[in-house]
Amino acid sequence: MDFTPTEEQEAARELAGRIFADLATHERLRAAGTGTDAELWKALCAAGLPGAVEETGLLGLVLLLEEQGRRTAQVPFAASCAYGILAVSRHGTEEQRARLLPGLRDGTTVVTGALPAPGTVASRAEGAGGRLSGVVEWVPWLRDASHVLVPDQDHALWLVRTEDAAAVEAVELTAPWSAGRLVLDGAAGERLGGRAAHPDVLAAARVAFAGLQAGVCAGSLARAVEYTSVREQFGRPLSTHQAVQLRAADAHMDTEAIRVTAYEAAWRFDEGLDAAGAALTAAWWASEAGKRVVHAGQHLHGGMGADLDHPVHRHFLWGRQLDAYLGCGTELLAELGDLLAKGDLS
């Protein structure tokens, strides 16, 4: 097992870090409100970063999403890469890849997915063409998407154009993810992949969003360290107090646990090994430890942490939203337990 980034992965991460640092500033994020930063998305696509995921794999995507999470940048990078580029490149037909990948690379096509969060109520009509009906209460970045990946009752994956949906209703989440409520009423669907597509895409999405959580937590902790180093209490910096040091140390260990489990799951995925259990483990750490880290980051800011306009509050909102999106810790543990009971894990 080797998590050392390749030259290509490291170059992509450095480029993404510079772009996010330049454009995902606190002022720009505040101006964007709950919408997507179109200029930032255009810059990322012009730099070729979504397309680079085809070469750098899921581990490369995790590294890029860490940089996004550090800045809580409001772009559909995770969704369009996990549900679009990786899904189509791995499970699409030759015709689908030729038709969809160019737009996914340049950002003119954006795909999101009605998974991994539970609650999808979609069914497929009988016949050669897929016809889907049902409601998905919230889908991240749906308002930005041209397509949405929807599983049916048999866990087959269908790519549906958002313009063919009966309704896409704006939904405001804890984090500003341009989410929407998806209503399907006999919408035409395009089948993506075979029986193996659903578990593969689900594992990739869990790992990708766990990587995003690792970045969110790292950003929250970095802000807390900076704040406690300059904020004084009783004539000395808060960072010199043992209680502060211990809370920050616990948050650091949790953040590293999220990162390393995401790296392991991504490495297994890229190597063609069974990654279902590793993806669940990464998602559990991202859910459970992620909550602890963003709460600690806010707590270490004292009264400033309660300021809705303070940058650390954005990390808190993202951390809690990612916890909900990944399925919450108890749900993930139950699924992991089922895998263990079936003997599907070595």
Side-chain angles (χ1 to χ4, degrees):
M1 190 182 309
D2 185 5
F3 303 153
T4 305
T6 64
E7 290 184 10
E8 293 79 8
Q9 290 171 338
E10 187 61 37
R13 175 167 64 176
E14 290 179 359
L15 178 58
R18 289 198 299 270
I19 293 174
F20 284 126
D22 290 342
L23 295 180
T25 62
H26 176 56
E27 292 72 24
R28 286 179 58 86
L29 288 168
R30 183 167 52 186
T34 60
T36 292
D37 189 333
E39 183 180 345
L40 174 56
W41 180 237
K42 183 177 179 180
L44 292 167
C45 294
L49 290 173
V53 173
E54 293 175 77
E55 300 297 327
T56 60
L58 183 55
L59 181 55
L61 175 58
V62 167
L63 295 174
L64 298 178
L65 292 176
E66 279 191 82
E67 298 303 321
Q68 179 186 0
R70 290 179 198 276
R71 303 286 176 172
T72 59
Q74 291 172 204
V75 286
F77 198 87
S80 200
C81 286
Y83 300 124
I85 286 180
L86 285 179
V88 172
S89 62
R90 288 172 65 89
H91 301 287
T93 64
E94 185 176 344
E95 186 277 331
Q96 286 174 322
R97 292 195 297 270
R99 172 165 48 88
L100 295 170
L101 284 176
L104 286 165
R105 294 179 190 125
D106 65 23
T108 55
T109 299
V110 174
V111 177
T112 187
L115 66 164
T120 302
V121 185
S123 60
R124 177 171 59 88
E126 298 295 330
R131 292 286 173 176
L132 296 125
S133 298
V135 177
V136 186
E137 291 299 333
W138 61 275
V139 180
W141 288 288
L142 183 62
R143 283 178 273 165
D144 297 330
S146 56
H147 297 73
V148 57
L149 198 61
V150 180
D152 65 16
Q153 75 278 9
D154 298 319
H155 287 174
L157 292 180
W158 299 86
L159 202 58
V160 179
R161 295 187 303 174
T162 50
E163 64 182 28
D164 293 335
V168 172
E169 303 164 355
V171 173
E172 298 302 334
L173 304 179
T174 302
W177 286 0
S178 296
R181 181 174 183 266
L182 179 68
V183 181
L184 302 176
D185 186 9
E190 178 182 0
R191 181 70 181 268
L192 185 70
R195 295 177 61 88
H198 181 273
D200 188 77
V201 172
L202 178 59
R206 281 171 165 160
V207 177
F209 282 92
L212 185 61
Q213 181 76 301
V216 170
C217 292
S220 174
L221 184 58
R223 292 188 183 280
V225 169
E226 179 183 11
Y227 178 81
T228 56
S229 296
V230 297
R231 177 70 172 178
E232 292 189 356
Q233 187 180 59
F234 306 120
R236 56 177 181 157
L238 285 172
S239 59
T240 63
H241 294 275
Q242 187 179 48
V244 172
Q245 294 171 358
L246 291 174
R247 190 79 191 274
D250 286 342
H252 171 73
M253 294 303 295
D254 273 336
T255 301
E256 289 302 299
I258 299 169
R259 177 181 289 116
V260 75
T261 52
Y263 285 5
E264 179 189 2
W267 177 83
R268 293 185 63 85
F269 185 90
D270 290 338
E271 291 295 313
L273 303 172
D274 181 16
L280 275 168
T281 301
W284 181 83
W285 275 102
S287 173
E288 287 293 292
K291 282 186 294 191
R292 291 196 295 265
V293 174
V294 296
H295 275 267
Q298 196 171 32
H299 185 200
L300 289 173
H301 277 75
M304 293 299 296
D307 183 357
L308 301 184
D309 194 46
H310 195 282
V312 77
H313 189 71
R314 189 177 293 111
H315 290 270
F316 174 78
L317 297 179
W318 276 64
R320 291 313 308 254
Q321 188 64 63
L322 281 163
D323 164 43
Y325 185 61
L326 287 166
C328 299
T330 53
E331 297 175 12
L332 294 166
L333 273 185
E335 190 174 342
L336 190 57
D338 289 340
L339 278 181
L340 288 167
K342 294 175 183 175
D344 289 346
L345 293 177
S346 59

